Amino acid sequence: MKNISVLFALLLTSVLSLNGQNASINGQIFDNKNQTIIGANVALLSTKDSTIISGTTTNMNGYFNLELKQRIPILIRITFIGFQEIYIAKEWSNRPINLGKITLLEKAMNLDAVEIVAQATPVIQSGDTTQINASAFKTNPDANIEDLITKMPGITIQDGKVQAHGENVQKVLVDGQEFFGDDANTILKNLPAEVVDKIEIFDKKSDQTEASGFDDGNTIKTINIVTKVEFRNGTFGKAYAGYGFDNKWKAGMNLNFFKEKRRFAILLNSNNVNEQNFSSEDLLGVMSSTKSSGGSKRGGKGGGGQPNDAGNFLVNQKNGITTTQALGVNYVNQWKNINFSGSYFINYSDNLANENLFRYYATSVNEGFTYEEQQESNSKNLNHRLNLRIDWKIDSLNSILFQPRVSFQQNNAASNMDGKNQIISLLQSITNNDFKSNLTGANISAPILYRHTFKKKGRSFSLSLTPSYNQNRGDNYLNTFAEFYSDTTTIELLDQFSNRNMQGVSISSNASYTEPVGKLGMLNFNYRTNYTYNKSEKETFNYSPYLNEYNLFDTTLSNVYNSEYVSHTFGTSYRYRKDKINMSAGLSYQLAQLNGDQIFPYAYSINKTFNSILPNLQLQYKFSKKKNIRFNYRSSNRAPSISQLQNVINNYNPLQLTTGNPDLKQDWQNSITIRYTTSNSDKATSFMALLSNSIIQDYMVNNSVIATSDSIIADGITLARGSQLTKPINIDGYFNVRSFNVYSFPLSKIKSNLSLNFGASYIKNPGMVNNQINFSNNYNAGLGFALSSNISERFDFIVSSNTTYNNTSNTLQAGLNSDYLNQNSKLKIQIMPWKWLVIQSDVNHLYNSGLSKTYNQNYLLWNAAVGYKFLKDKKAELRLSIFDILKQNNNISRNTVETYYEDIRTNVLQQYVLLTFSYNIKYYKDAKAVTEKSN
């Protein structure tokens, strides 16, 4: 730690010694209706020969800032589509030049008489923001934004999650404003592609960081959809209804009302063909399974434990068959000093899933041990979700941001599971489980942020407070038959009723103060505190056949546990900006205390105190306006959850028992990310390279013990031979490194765009098997491409392929070593030979090798459709579509953990035929001359 302090002292000393004399020019741009303009182009021109010295675009609030490095007179040019250009002449000054409020006037133009012959530059790198011009990518007239962005370099959709530059997109904005909260899929699937002017990809800072102007490196990957001016006043959307064989149906509507800053949208969705728009807050239902698979899985489906990890649950076509009923509304508006956005969702889903699992263990004492499972389950989930965002600018120096969020869920589930353990072909044990549950959950949070900027530039103060409350409660019935074979045959019967009540209260706050240091520097002082209290109660009752009720209290499977986590973090950072360099470095001290009290079945208390030094460093170097490199180093802690601390056995599956560990400690994570981006406007090329690394001490993993003989692990509970008990522990040694690269360029001869990507990773993952440490080393390399047409709106195609090779080796268990290959290739094509005819086909080929011999997957999913357009402007369509023409749709995934690897097959939706009527609603008040290209 002493060496780290010396390093940071040297960095701060070297930075403070730098100085410069650049002029800064800033202002804010409005339209003639006093609305800020997003994405306006601002360029500094030389008065001598009109060459461009530098340039930028306005941000989400219409602001811009430029630096002038030459002591010469300059001309400022401001342009935006549909508005008259403005030129402002200024002399060089060593003091900031504030142009204040600048108003652009709309210009009259006959769109029918305009013919654009020049190809738009696809990608422009502007500082930290990658700006992609939508006009450089042609899509069919009925395309949505999801269809558009899948053509764009660096953007992919994997398992329903949007990824940009290799990272998951956590927020999607529309013209800088939240739209349907953080639900990215809802926005991308329901807004038409034709309204998009630009797509901006950037790392969004927290609201408090943006208020202070001090970059702490804590960002989330964000996409901002900049709409075209002519589409910001109108009504648009789509209504549809379809029915097919085997009682397959879908119906819905999305309707949007845009009027400048006021936006209102309503969504309806009803179907039984697996079309869903859920966020992670809709997933209480994953708790209903209460399965314990013996470890936290890497990839594939959600991990074990009770409750399951909702973050790993994916609601998509691959996880059973789901019937959905959903309603959503969203409202956005901006008044004189208030920005408001709010959304409400109600979702109901009915999911039927069948799962087959094959798991192979390779331990030093159980060579060749396997576990197989077949499960049928039904889960019904009802969710209400309300998100609000109110940004009140009290005056020029003070503002308040309030973001309350509420969600409520109900879930009913039932499942039947058969499992068996074998060594080679010798049967060790079998089990049959019937499980039913009824759960409710509520989550409430109300973050509020106060921001104050002083008259002295760079001096600011902000204070945030986030209270939250969550509750999950419910009951379940478990009926289990298990038979164990050793020297003698043992039969175990369980008929139990359990209820659980989990409550949590959390209050966190963050106070931040910034102070300018000289002309180029800024100091930040912050204090963060967090208080979290959780209470968990579980009562289990065995069935009494004599009284015909569940009245036999089981103390072994019951537990009352409270945990309290309090942390205080004191930190200071220094930021330096000059010319091409933007750097900040800081150091924080954290004092954390973890208290746990087990009240039942026996009293037990833990009191742990943690002292941590948490350094951070961010460095950005701009080679030019279109080329930069960014380095980010962060350290942080993660405390164990109450379910990990709770020392109570989960016996849902007698062959796969789990329990918590009250002695768990918080971990210490250190991560480094390096990102390089560049673009060439002349050649329309772009390149992005990402390199990241993480090291974790006291990593929380599982200790899995596979019994070699019958063992009593608690009063009345026996771990039978061949069965497994899993318990979380702390181990050092976690390490990962990952690289992802994207290069995109046009193929002018075939009027298409080609995007190439390459990625590789290495993960060293510690675990413990039968009390012996095992390190699992996973190597991964992938190569892919995407070729998208830019020929015509009437001829649209995209072809892509991604190939990934995985190799896993283990220090303790050579039997777990494996390698497998995965290749996913797609072709999607849509043509309109006449204005009234639409022909569409998409093919998805998936190839896997190296899985268990009965699970190797090589299938072709082929869908096709033909549509007839009619009525005025061809807004109506009658479409006949066939899903899975070859009846080959399938789903298999592989997971590898410390003790085993497993292959899972789940049921999926197979062939159906649907006849659908749809009607496009398009009316744009300020763009009556804009007509659909399909006419």
Side-chain angles (χ1 to χ4, degrees):
M1 198 59 66
K2 180 180 179 181
N3 292 335
I4 294 177
S5 301
V6 172
L7 173 62
F8 273 83
L10 290 173
L11 284 169
L12 292 175
T13 302
S14 62
V15 168
L16 286 168
S17 65
L18 300 173
N19 59 76
Q21 292 291 329
N22 294 336
S24 65
I25 303 170
N26 59 76
Q28 187 178 20
I29 300 178
F30 293 77
D31 59 20
N32 56 349
K33 296 180 181 179
N34 203 34
Q35 304 291 331
T36 57
I37 295 179
I38 305 167
N41 294 299
V42 184
L44 297 186
L45 309 179
S46 169
T47 56
K48 182 179 179 180
D49 54 11
S50 297
T51 57
I52 298 177
I53 300 172
S54 63
T56 188
T57 57
T58 54
N59 66 13
M60 299 169 203
N61 296 312
Y63 287 102
F64 69 89
N65 187 76
L66 284 167
E67 289 187 355
L68 177 61
K69 304 171 185 177
Q70 306 175 44
R71 301 191 178 194
I72 59 172
I74 50 93
L75 193 64
I76 304 163
R77 183 185 68 191
I78 303 173
T79 60
F80 192 68
I81 298 174
F83 289 82
Q84 299 176 20
E85 293 182 346
I86 285 183
Y87 291 86
I88 304 172
K90 287 289 180 180
E91 294 291 331
W92 186 90
S93 172
N94 60 1
R95 302 187 67 181
I97 301 173
N98 186 356
L99 300 178
K101 179 179 178 180
I102 303 168
T103 301
L104 299 185
L105 300 178
E106 293 186 35
K107 59 182 178 181
M109 57 185 299
N110 184 355
L111 296 181
D112 288 335
V114 176
E115 182 180 3
I116 301 174
V117 294
Q119 181 177 348
T121 301
V123 182
I124 299 175
Q125 188 64 38
S126 179
D128 297 335
T129 301
T130 301
Q131 187 180 97
I132 307 176
N133 291 315
S135 58
F137 304 89
K138 295 186 183 299
T139 56
N140 68 77
D142 297 325
N144 58 30
I145 297 181
E146 183 178 85
D147 298 324
L148 173 65
I149 66 171
T150 52
K151 289 190 165 192
M152 294 180 170
I155 303 179
T156 59
I157 297 179
Q158 298 290 337
D159 293 325
K161 294 183 178 180
V162 184
Q163 294 183 336
H165 299 164
E167 301 176 72
N168 287 334
V169 174
Q170 300 180 51
K171 187 179 286 290
V172 175
L173 307 173
V174 178
D175 291 329
Q177 299 288 329
E178 288 194 359
F179 202 69
F180 282 106
D182 295 332
D183 200 333
N185 285 331
T186 298
I187 301 173
L188 300 177
K189 291 178 182 295
N190 291 286
L191 288 182
E194 67 176 339
V195 307
V196 181
D197 180 34
K198 302 180 185 71
I199 295 292
E200 295 177 336
I201 306 171
F202 61 98
D203 294 321
K204 188 180 186 304
K205 306 175 183 65
S206 67
D207 293 306
Q208 193 160 12
T209 298
E210 290 180 349
S212 67
F214 199 99
D215 187 358
D216 61 359
N218 189 14
T219 61
I220 59 173
K221 185 65 68 179
T222 301
I223 287 178
N224 180 42
I225 301 167
V226 181
T227 61
K228 298 174 183 176
V229 176
E230 61 267 29
F231 293 107
R232 293 180 185 173
N233 285 281
T235 301
F236 58 92
K238 185 177 184 178
Y240 59 91
Y243 188 80
F245 298 116
D246 297 326
N247 196 34
K248 292 293 185 292
W249 48 267
K250 70 174 183 178
M253 177 185 71
N254 67 79
L255 196 58
N256 302 271
F257 303 90
F258 277 29
K259 186 176 182 181
E260 298 298 342
K261 297 294 183 179
R262 186 177 69 195
R263 281 98 187 270
F264 176 75
I266 182 169
L267 304 178
L268 292 170
N269 184 8
S270 177
N271 71 87
N272 64 352
V273 290
N274 282 16
E275 293 185 359
Q276 299 155 74
N277 287 309
F278 287 161
S279 79
S280 60
E281 292 184 353
D282 297 303
L283 305 178
L284 176 66
V286 299
M287 293 177 58
S288 64
S289 67
T290 60
K291 290 187 297 182
S292 177
S293 301
S296 58
K297 304 174 185 178
R298 310 295 188 264
K301 297 173 68 66
Q306 182 178 355
N308 287 344
D309 180 9
N312 293 331
F313 184 83
L314 301 177
V315 182
N316 58 39
Q317 176 178 292
K318 296 181 180 180
N319 295 282
I321 299 174
T322 302
T323 299
T324 302
Q325 316 284 346
L327 165 68
V329 294
N330 187 81
Y331 181 74
V332 177
N333 207 348
Q334 180 177 322
W335 295 279
K336 183 177 180 181
N337 57 349
I338 294 178
N339 284 341
F340 174 86
S341 65
S343 64
Y344 168 74
F345 267 102
I346 177 170
N347 295 300
Y348 173 78
S349 66
D350 187 345
N351 177 267
L352 294 170
N354 299 321
E355 179 180 287
N356 292 284
L357 177 150
F358 177 81
R359 183 178 298 159
Y360 178 77
Y361 294 85
T363 65
S364 55
V365 294
N366 286 285
E367 195 73 33
F369 190 80
T370 62
Y371 171 74
E372 294 182 60
E373 179 182 294
Q374 295 83 39
Q375 179 171 254
E376 297 180 356
S377 61
N378 175 225
S379 177
K380 298 178 180 180
N381 195 80
L382 175 67
N383 171 269
H384 300 266
R385 181 157 43 95
L386 175 68
N387 295 323
L388 301 176
R389 178 185 172 94
I390 305 167
D391 194 349
W392 176 30
K393 295 182 180 179
I394 303 172
D395 52 40
S396 59
L397 301 178
N398 300 279
S399 65
I400 292 177
L401 177 63
F402 184 46
Q403 301 181 84
R405 300 187 174 195
V406 179
S407 69
F408 175 77
Q409 299 177 64
Q410 291 179 296
N411 180 272
N412 293 288
S415 65
N416 180 271
M417 186 269 289
D418 290 302
K420 64 179 180 180
N421 284 325
Q422 294 185 108
I423 296 181
I424 308 177
S425 59
L426 182 63
L427 189 65
Q428 299 294 301
S429 54
I430 61 172
T431 185
N432 173 263
N433 296 1
D434 280 314
F435 182 81
K436 295 180 180 179
S437 66
N438 182 11
L439 306 173
T440 62
N443 290 276
I444 303 172
S445 66
I448 188 168
L449 170 65
Y450 168 72
R451 300 163 291 194
H452 176 76
T453 55
F454 295 86
K455 292 184 179 180
K456 183 177 181 179
K457 185 178 180 181
R459 180 181 293 171
S460 69
F461 172 76
S462 60
L463 176 64
S464 68
L465 181 67
T466 305
S468 63
Y469 170 80
N470 65 81
Q471 182 181 70
N472 294 315
R473 61 170 58 187
D475 51 56
N476 60 70
Y477 294 87
L478 174 64
N479 193 302
T480 299
F481 168 85
E483 194 167 359
F484 304 92
Y485 310 103
S486 53
D487 296 334
T488 59
T489 299
T490 303
I491 295 177
E492 180 179 298
L493 299 174
L494 292 175
D495 191 355
Q496 296 176 340
F497 166 80
S498 298
N499 62 65
R500 165 167 282 191
N501 183 10
M502 299 177 66
Q503 299 181 64
V505 176
S506 173
I507 301 176
S508 61
S509 64
N510 185 8
S512 175
Y513 175 79
T514 61
E515 179 68 25
V517 179
K519 296 181 179 180
L520 305 173
M522 179 185 291
L523 276 173
N524 172 260
F525 302 93
N526 64 78
Y527 167 66
R528 296 189 301 273
T529 183
N530 177 66
Y531 170 80
T532 302
Y533 174 80
N534 287 297
K535 180 179 181 180
S536 178
E537 299 178 351
K538 181 184 179 183
E539 295 180 322
T540 301
F541 299 87
N542 291 310
Y543 179 72
S544 171
Y546 302 104
L547 299 177
N548 193 31
E549 61 181 359
Y550 295 91
N551 68 333
L552 302 177
F553 187 57
D554 194 325
T555 58
T556 305
L557 300 175
S558 301
N559 186 275
V560 178
Y561 191 87
N562 303 329
S563 71
E564 185 179 66
Y565 180 79
V566 183
S567 67
H568 303 272
T569 306
F570 307 86
T572 182
S573 303
Y574 175 78
R575 191 194 76 180
Y576 171 84
R577 296 182 67 177
K578 179 192 175 184
D579 296 341
K580 300 179 179 181
I581 296 176
N582 183 3
M583 191 277 284
S584 67
L587 203 62
S588 297
Y589 165 71
Q590 184 185 84
L591 172 65
Q593 190 167 18
L594 176 64
N595 299 317
D597 291 304
Q598 179 173 282
I599 300 171
F600 185 84
Y602 58 88
Y604 178 83
S605 296
I606 59 169
N607 296 280
K608 298 179 181 294
T609 300
F610 307 102
N611 294 276
S612 305
I613 301 295
L614 304 173
N616 65 83
L617 173 65
Q618 292 81 43
L619 177 64
Q620 183 182 29
Y621 182 79
K622 297 181 180 180
F623 300 96
S624 66
K625 183 176 180 294
K626 301 175 182 178
K627 183 187 302 183
N628 71 81
I629 188 170
R630 185 174 183 124
F631 173 90
N632 183 20
Y633 163 71
R634 287 183 58 80
S635 57
S636 60
N637 297 122
R638 182 170 60 103
S641 67
I642 189 170
S643 60
Q644 291 175 307
L645 294 169
Q646 195 170 8
N647 188 20
V648 59
I649 293 175
N650 176 7
N651 69 330
Y652 165 79
N653 184 345
L655 311 186
Q656 309 280 324
L657 302 179
T658 64
T659 186
N661 179 7
D663 295 324
L664 275 181
K665 300 182 292 183
Q666 69 175 13
D667 64 17
W668 185 33
Q669 305 182 30
N670 292 269
S671 60
I672 293 174
T673 302
I674 302 173
R675 183 186 296 113
Y676 172 79
T677 55
T678 181
S679 63
N680 187 317
S681 302
D682 296 330
K683 297 182 180 180
T685 62
S686 66
F687 175 74
M688 189 282 301
L690 174 73
L691 180 66
S692 63
N693 166 248
S694 293
I695 300 173
I696 304 178
Q697 296 182 18
D698 288 323
Y699 184 53
M700 286 178 272
V701 297
N702 288 317
N703 178 19
S704 299
V705 176
I706 301 176
T708 56
S709 61
D710 294 352
S711 305
I712 297 176
I713 58 175
D715 186 21
I717 296 181
T718 300
L719 184 66
R721 178 190 175 194
S723 298
Q724 177 178 291
L725 174 67
T726 300
K727 179 179 182 179
I729 58 172
N730 296 103
I731 299 181
D732 291 338
Y734 178 88
F735 175 90
N736 79 55
V737 60
R738 175 174 175 264
S739 174
F740 183 77
N741 310 273
V742 179
Y743 177 59
S744 304
F745 56 95
L747 297 176
S748 55
K749 291 185 178 180
I750 60 172
K751 294 183 179 181
S752 300
N753 300 294
L754 181 63
S755 180
L756 306 175
N757 69 79
F758 170 76
S761 67
Y762 164 70
I763 301 175
K764 182 182 180 182
N765 193 44
M768 186 165 283
V769 183
N770 289 340
N771 298 314
Q772 292 181 294
I773 294 179
N774 174 62
F775 286 97
S776 174
N777 299 284
N778 179 263
Y779 303 87
N780 176 292
L783 181 67
F785 76 89
L787 177 67
S788 59
S789 69
N790 215 14
I791 300 170
S792 166
E793 293 178 346
R794 297 186 183 278
F795 181 75
D796 184 29
F797 74 83
I798 181 170
V799 56
S800 64
S801 182
N802 288 280
T803 303
T804 305
Y805 172 76
N806 289 272
N807 175 272
T808 301
S809 62
N810 294 268
T811 58
L812 180 63
Q813 304 168 105
L816 274 177
N817 297 348
S818 65
D819 58 86
Y820 61 96
L821 182 74
N822 170 271
Q823 185 179 65
N824 192 348
S825 302
K826 299 179 181 180
L827 169 64
K828 183 177 182 180
I829 185 169
Q830 177 166 311
I831 59 175
M832 296 180 65
W834 298 280
K835 295 179 181 180
W836 49 268
L837 180 64
V838 179
I839 301 173
Q840 180 178 314
S841 180
D842 61 84
V843 180
N844 183 7
H845 177 255
L846 189 64
Y847 171 78
N848 278 314
S849 68
L851 303 182
S852 305
K853 61 180 181 179
T854 58
Y855 282 73
N856 278 321
Q857 187 179 26
N858 182 5
Y859 79 87
L860 195 68
L861 176 62
W862 179 23
N863 309 318
V866 57
Y868 170 71
K869 289 183 171 293
F870 58 102
L871 297 184
K872 184 180 179 181
D873 298 331
K874 301 297 185 289
K875 290 181 178 179
E877 181 185 277
L878 193 63
R879 174 173 294 207
L880 181 67
S881 56
I882 305 176
F883 177 82
D884 190 16
I885 295 175
L886 303 179
K887 295 184 179 181
Q888 293 187 11
N889 194 23
N890 204 346
N891 175 56
I892 295 175
S893 61
R894 164 160 289 195
N895 304 309
T896 302
V897 296
E898 306 86 25
T899 57
Y900 59 79
Y901 66 77
E902 67 181 11
D903 297 322
I904 302 174
R905 177 188 286 129
T906 56
N907 65 317
V908 292
L909 193 65
Q910 291 190 322
Q911 187 183 92
Y912 67 87
V913 179
L914 213 62
L915 182 64
T916 306
F917 170 79
S918 63
Y919 184 81
N920 287 302
I921 303 164
K922 296 182 181 181
Y923 173 73
Y924 302 102
K925 182 178 179 181
D926 293 341
K928 294 182 179 179
V930 177
T931 57
E932 289 73 30
K933 297 297 182 182
S934 57
N935 290 344

